[in-house]
Amino acid sequence: MKKYRRRALFTIAALLFVVFAEAQQATWIWYPGDFEIVLSNKVQNRRTERGTFFPVFWKIDNHYVLMDFHKVVEVAAPEEVEIFAEGQYNVKLDGKPFEGSPSKITLPAGKHKINIKVFNQAEVPAVFIKGRTIVSDASWLVTFEDKEWIDETGKTSDISATNWLQAGSWNFNTPAQRPSQFRLPVRPLSAKSVEKVAGGQVIDFGRETFGFVRLHGVKGKGNLSLYYGESREEALSTTHCETLDRFHFDAPQSIDTIPTLSKAFRYVFIQGDPGLTLDSVSLLYEYADVKERGNFRCNDEEINRIYDVARYTFELNTREFFIDGIKRDRWVWSGDAYQSYLMNYYSYFDQPTVERTMMALRGKDPVTSHINTIMDYTFYWFLGIYDYYLYTGDQTFIKQFYPRMKSLMDYCLGRRDQNGWMSGLAGDWVFIDWATGLSKKGAVSFEQLLLCRSLETMAICAGIAGDKTAGADYNQQAASLRQQFFATYWNPSKQALVHSLVDGKQTDNVTRYANMFSIFFDYFNAAQKQAVKNSVLLNPNVQKITTPYMRFYELEALCAMGEQDFVRKEMKSYWGGMLRLGATSFWEEYDPSKKEGEHYAMYGRPFGKSLCHAWGASPIYLLGKYYLGVKPLTAGYATYEVAPVLGGLQWMEGKVPTPQGDIELYCNTKQVKMKSPAGEGVLKLKSKNKPSGKNIELTQTAPDTYEVKILPGVQYDIRYQAL
């Protein structure tokens, strides 16, 4: 009897655990993209320049104010359900409304349809539903239109489910975590030093940081000014520092206070009237609560330092969204974000931040301009979706947002000239890069290349969305454009793609942009790749790149050509050069020929340059993809490649995150050890002798080139001899 009683108790406990686990899945839900758009509006319009509101200069959208949340459920027994909403709401069960706006309803046993309509003009309409088995989650359907109809039998029925989308959500998993009240978390930090200077004091927090300065023990009457600086020189420049705060106090008793808006800085210069006293200053460091999964270490301590500072730079610029830089803009720029997505896949592998950023950038229809008004930034948005699917394998995002992808591509295709090329029209910003004397006139080859890749992305997305006709059309357009592109822009005598067409004719100029992208897009054949490596990438006569933004792609192209040893030296020279100048995060632009204070100037302002810019963190991506050598071959790492290249290092080790877990790798000149959680992998090695190891399946694919099949969960220890 005791045996059966124990078994019964175990069964009951197990059932209770299941019910409890189901109940914990409840989360706040909304129309996908609406919370993200509204949050981006709040974030991007926090920008100030010397206390003056500085809004974005492109169209911003808003949320739908009336939302219908819908779900068909089946319960085995009567179930009480709690309802929380952001806004006015009503509830219908099987088409019949409840009186008022009930906070709880009871569903009888059986199959039912729940509809909750929420109106909120000020914030995003959202609901949180929690019962024993019925909870709000992504399985709920939402629409901003009236999708209930009365059929001939007099019963309400929903029209096709294709008119509904799966609800959006994030991690607001209790009724108290209302989406409208979201704020990034903070933690206290102390200043590293305090220095008295004439008329005030300079507070040094030791390195670049972000958050709210806390003023402790302010007492007296008068004005107090805070001047922020990424450099000491900027903080002390009361007339030219980019950001500041001013306070007026009338405090007979000591009080503590913080500014309204968080700021980026390392130094703060504080000046106050003689009638004020201040006890101390600290910081509330504001951060995104994402977990780092990827890492990298090697025998070269300077490379390790570069990786660590890149990682910290990326941490600071990973916020509600992937932003460009923490001091000046704090905006969501598509070109900057695209690089952050790639760094993310080798560090956090945080899908929600990628999704939020892509939703915020896209906004809503109608399309009236390019994303951020920049032609190339529209195309980077499409490229971001291409990589998102490759790395994560997630199809839901693509299925839900395919109509917005399609309308944006329609906008692009409608702005081509009579020859089918993308040329800048009125209102278009053709950016490419911050480079002196870079021509944007005519049909620039780089823009056509990005359009081609974007059309290929649309073909993939159309297939996922089930739009076969459009998919075939996008494929055809991409193939036709690619053929026309190389026939038009390739110059045999220069062994390179020329920069642009003006009046239908090739210009004489060769730049790096289209040439390096064609390498890692794998658009060139093998002979063209080698030719371009020598005629463009390693040619000092071709205009050099000075921004980390385009160095990202230049070094990626060189890595794709097997030049990791060269790239390692470039990283030590370029990123190491910033470190030798005292950088604690990586900059928006670095020109080693500049001297002292010249490094801080940009945009005609003495401290206009961002000294913590997301695109400066690219070593995270380069070291993960091209040194550890890990990359997906098919969506979501269903198949993948590990091709480690030491590039002059003696040893290296690290982790690369995937949707199923982390790939772990150690490599030196004689040994490779690795383990992978899932998928079908192949380890590619170049070795002077035949690699050996326990229970390995080895194939020789070329002289000194071998492949080992990687099975999930197996620890491999392989001996080889590096070339």
Side-chain angles (χ1 to χ4, degrees):
M1 181 64 72
K2 290 181 180 179
K3 175 182 177 182
Y4 294 111
R5 188 179 295 125
R6 284 197 301 269
R7 184 178 297 171
L9 289 171
F10 177 83
T11 303
I12 292 170
L15 289 171
L16 287 172
F17 175 80
V18 170
V19 170
F20 178 78
E22 288 179 343
Q24 295 310 301
Q25 295 173 2
T27 191
W28 283 92
I29 58 174
W30 52 80
Y31 188 82
D34 271 14
F35 169 77
E36 293 76 10
I37 288 170
V38 169
L39 183 62
S40 75
N41 291 346
K42 294 176 180 178
V43 169
Q44 296 189 97
N45 286 291
R46 292 176 190 160
R47 177 178 175 178
T48 61
E49 289 196 359
R50 295 188 61 79
T52 301
F53 168 54
F54 197 110
V56 298
F57 53 82
W58 49 81
K59 177 177 78 79
I60 60 175
D61 296 307
N62 211 341
H63 62 278
Y64 295 116
V65 300
L66 180 63
M67 193 57 51
D68 191 346
F69 297 88
H70 159 87
K71 181 158 182 158
V72 175
V73 299
E74 188 165 5
V75 291
E79 182 168 336
E80 185 178 76
V81 174
E82 293 183 274
I83 301 171
F84 303 86
E86 294 238 76
Q88 299 171 253
Y89 67 96
N90 67 30
V91 185
K92 290 181 182 178
L93 185 64
D94 302 323
K96 297 179 181 180
F98 287 84
E99 182 178 329
S101 299
S103 59
K104 294 181 181 179
I105 62 173
T106 299
L107 278 68
K111 189 173 183 179
H112 303 284
K113 179 177 62 180
I114 306 174
N115 282 86
I116 303 175
K117 284 194 174 179
V118 183
F119 170 79
N120 195 329
Q121 187 79 40
E123 297 288 351
V124 175
V127 296
F128 184 97
I129 313 298
K130 186 174 181 180
R132 189 174 64 252
T133 64
I134 300 169
V135 295
S136 49
D137 57 21
S139 66
W140 283 65
L141 301 179
V142 297
T143 182
F144 60 91
E145 299 175 301
D146 188 355
K147 297 299 182 185
E148 288 192 310
W149 297 76
I150 304 297
D151 64 21
E152 62 275 8
T153 66
K155 297 179 180 179
T156 59
S157 62
D158 296 303
I159 60 176
S160 170
T162 58
N163 293 286
W164 298 75
L165 294 181
Q166 290 182 10
S169 64
W170 187 11
N171 60 355
F172 306 115
N173 300 328
T174 69
Q177 292 177 292
R178 292 179 175 267
S180 64
Q181 302 303 307
F182 171 72
R183 298 291 185 274
L184 289 176
V186 296
R187 64 173 179 262
L189 291 178
S190 300
K192 297 298 181 183
S193 68
V194 179
E195 176 190 359
K196 290 185 178 181
V197 297
Q201 55 183 319
V202 175
I203 315 298
D204 180 7
F205 286 90
R207 61 176 179 171
E208 182 87 16
T209 191
F210 191 92
F212 303 89
V213 167
R214 301 178 72 181
L215 304 174
H216 301 275
V218 180
K219 187 177 179 181
K221 185 175 182 179
N223 298 315
L224 187 73
S225 295
L226 277 63
Y227 303 97
Y228 299 95
E230 293 185 302
S231 63
R232 189 175 186 275
E233 292 89 336
E234 181 180 10
L236 287 170
S237 179
T238 59
T239 56
H240 292 107
C241 66
E242 293 282 310
T243 56
L244 53 78
D245 276 307
R246 300 194 191 277
F247 298 90
H248 178 77
F249 292 100
D250 188 355
Q253 303 297 323
S254 293
I255 62 171
D256 293 351
T257 190
I258 62 172
T260 304
L261 297 176
S262 51
K263 299 288 196 304
F265 55 92
R266 172 177 171 175
Y267 300 89
V268 184
F269 178 45
I270 301 178
Q271 282 186 320
D273 288 344
L276 287 174
T277 59
L278 172 65
D279 288 344
S280 63
V281 178
S282 66
L283 170 71
L284 288 176
Y285 176 69
E286 187 182 61
Y287 63 98
D289 191 16
V290 291
K291 308 303 180 188
E292 190 168 55
R293 291 172 54 190
N295 59 49
F296 180 88
R297 273 291 174 271
C298 68
N299 63 285
D300 188 325
E301 285 304 317
E302 186 175 36
I303 293 292
N304 292 338
R305 175 66 177 151
I306 289 169
Y307 181 85
D308 288 342
V309 174
R311 185 177 60 184
Y312 182 61
T313 303
F314 191 49
E315 174 188 321
L316 288 169
N317 286 286
T318 300
R319 314 205 64 73
E320 298 94 337
F321 306 90
F322 291 121
I323 63 171
D324 66 327
I326 58 173
K327 178 180 77 171
R328 193 188 58 242
D329 289 18
R330 299 169 60 177
W331 288 349
V332 184
W333 292 93
S334 184
D336 306 58
Y338 176 63
Q339 294 192 358
S340 289
Y341 304 152
L342 295 173
M343 298 172 208
N344 171 68
Y345 298 136
Y346 288 88
S347 54
Y348 304 125
F349 208 92
D350 186 71
Q351 289 181 225
T353 307
V354 177
E355 293 173 7
R356 278 197 307 281
T357 306
M358 291 195 294
M359 291 180 203
L361 284 165
R362 174 57 185 88
K364 294 184 175 179
D365 290 328
V367 182
T368 59
S369 67
H370 283 295
I371 292 176
N372 306 129
T373 75
I374 301 176
M375 183 190 295
D376 23 316
Y377 279 27
T378 293
F379 298 138
Y380 282 128
W381 187 81
F382 287 110
L383 269 58
I385 291 171
Y386 180 98
D387 289 321
Y388 175 78
Y389 178 59
L390 177 63
Y391 279 89
T392 71
D394 176 37
Q395 296 188 4
T396 301
F397 178 91
I398 291 171
K399 289 177 180 178
Q400 302 233 111
F401 285 87
Y402 174 71
R404 296 192 198 184
M405 299 175 197
K406 199 170 187 297
S407 57
L408 183 58
M409 180 54 73
D410 289 344
Y411 175 82
C412 295
L413 297 178
R415 294 178 72 79
R416 293 175 295 179
D417 65 21
Q418 65 273 19
N419 297 311
W421 302 120
M422 295 293 299
S423 300
L425 301 179
D428 293 348
W429 178 4
V430 178
F431 171 61
I432 305 174
D433 191 19
W434 295 123
T436 303
L438 183 64
S439 173
K440 313 293 175 67
K441 186 179 179 182
V444 178
S445 58
F446 182 61
E447 303 294 344
Q448 321 315 316
L449 190 79
L450 295 183
L451 172 60
C452 187
R453 189 63 150 194
S454 298
L455 285 166
E456 293 173 350
T457 300
M458 284 304 301
I460 294 170
C461 294
I464 292 170
D467 191 353
K468 295 182 180 179
T469 301
D473 180 57
Y474 289 130
N475 261 324
Q476 188 277 325
Q477 288 196 66
S480 176
L481 176 60
R482 185 167 166 178
Q483 183 179 29
Q484 182 187 10
F485 173 79
F486 282 99
T488 304
Y489 286 91
W490 180 257
N491 187 310
S493 64
K494 296 179 182 293
Q495 288 292 283
L497 295 163
V498 298
H499 178 70
S500 59
L501 297 179
V502 175
D503 298 327
K505 297 180 181 179
Q506 285 189 1
T507 58
D508 192 53
N509 190 25
V510 170
T511 55
R512 298 173 186 267
Y513 308 107
N515 287 288
M516 61 196 188
F517 272 66
S518 291
I519 288 176
F520 53 75
F521 279 2
D522 207 24
Y523 281 0
F524 285 143
N525 60 37
Q528 287 174 319
K529 287 181 180 179
Q530 288 296 329
V532 166
K533 183 175 80 169
N534 294 313
S535 64
V536 180
L537 298 183
L538 300 179
N539 185 353
N541 295 319
V542 174
Q543 184 177 8
K544 292 183 178 181
I545 292 169
T546 61
T547 61
Y549 178 51
M550 278 294 163
R551 291 285 284 180
F552 181 106
Y553 301 116
E554 181 181 29
L555 297 183
E556 177 170 17
L558 286 164
C559 284
M561 293 298 297
E563 294 290 338
Q564 278 84 340
D565 186 42
F566 178 86
V567 170
R568 176 182 59 84
K569 295 171 184 174
E570 288 294 295
M571 281 195 285
K572 288 168 69 70
S573 171
Y574 189 80
W575 280 269
M578 285 186 261
L579 294 182
R580 287 186 285 277
L581 288 174
T584 61
S585 57
F586 288 130
W587 305 346
E588 182 177 13
E589 181 260 2
Y590 169 60
D591 183 345
S593 67
K594 293 182 178 180
K595 305 295 183 183
E596 298 179 350
E598 294 176 353
H599 285 292
Y600 306 139
M602 206 167 178
Y603 310 110
R605 306 198 300 272
F607 302 102
K609 185 185 296 181
S610 164
L611 299 189
C612 180
H613 221 69
W615 70 34
S618 57
I620 296 171
Y621 172 69
L622 296 172
L623 292 167
K625 184 175 181 180
Y626 290 104
Y627 288 78
L628 296 178
V630 179
K631 66 178 181 180
L633 299 177
T634 54
Y637 279 88
T639 62
Y640 62 91
E641 173 182 296
V642 181
V645 179
L646 287 162
L649 298 172
Q650 294 303 305
W651 63 265
M652 62 183 178
E653 63 182 357
K655 292 182 181 179
V656 173
T658 79
Q660 298 82 24
D662 301 336
I663 294 175
E664 301 176 32
L665 178 76
Y666 170 86
C667 178
N668 62 28
T669 58
K670 296 181 180 181
Q671 182 184 33
V672 173
K673 296 192 289 186
M674 71 161 295
K675 187 177 181 180
S676 178
E680 297 180 11
V682 57
L683 172 65
K684 295 186 175 182
L685 293 174
K686 291 187 177 295
S687 177
K688 295 177 182 178
N689 53 25
K690 184 178 179 180
S692 62
K694 186 178 179 181
N695 298 326
I696 65 170
E697 186 178 323
L698 184 70
T699 304
Q700 185 169 6
T701 58
D704 300 326
T705 306
Y706 301 86
E707 292 185 357
V708 178
K709 185 177 180 180
I710 302 299
L711 299 175
V714 177
Q715 179 70 55
Y716 291 90
D717 189 342
I718 298 168
R719 302 287 174 172
Y720 82 116
Q721 184 62 52
L723 291 175

